[in-house]
Amino acid sequence: MRVFIINTKNMGPELQGGLIGVEGSTDPTAEERRECVETISRYVMDGWAIAADPRTPIGRLAALTAETACVPFLAFNRVPQRGGPMLGPAAPVAGAHELF
């Protein structure tokens, strides 16, 4: 699992606590799932929002964890619908500050 810190200083007030992007394997191990929940839980306690692709197993877990903690969640798979750049595995958060 990889976690990316995304600069949110120029974004709306709901993201001013910070934003992390989460990416993981297509077949995560139990350890990777546990790491995902623990990592996200640490950040959401400080008011950070979560970004991931909910079409992936780790992305769904990240979305559920964010929802449970009542913090904003940005679904990477919806970015192209809003006219933003498509985020692929080579650049998971490149230009992320331009997503909103």
Side-chain angles (χ1 to χ4, degrees):
M1 184 185 83
R2 295 188 294 173
V3 176
F4 305 92
I5 304 300
I6 301 169
N7 182 356
T8 60
K9 68 180 179 181
N10 295 323
M11 294 182 191
E14 67 277 2
L15 299 177
Q16 290 303 306
L19 177 65
I20 64 167
V22 180
E23 179 182 75
S25 68
T26 57
D27 188 24
T29 64
E31 176 63 24
E32 190 174 23
R33 289 185 193 111
R34 183 191 60 74
E35 180 187 14
C36 177
V37 171
E38 286 181 3
T39 301
I40 291 172
S41 296
R42 270 185 269 134
Y43 281 98
V44 299
M45 294 298 284
D46 292 333
W48 286 63
I50 308 300
D53 184 346
R55 296 175 296 184
T56 66
I58 288 295
R60 281 191 298 279
L61 184 57
L64 290 172
T65 306
E67 181 181 359
T68 301
C70 299
V71 298
F73 178 78
L74 170 66
F76 280 159
N77 66 327
R78 296 187 67 174
V79 171
Q81 296 173 5
R82 297 178 185 224
M86 180 62 165
L87 302 179
V93 296
H97 66 287
E98 300 168 2
L99 298 180
F100 297 91

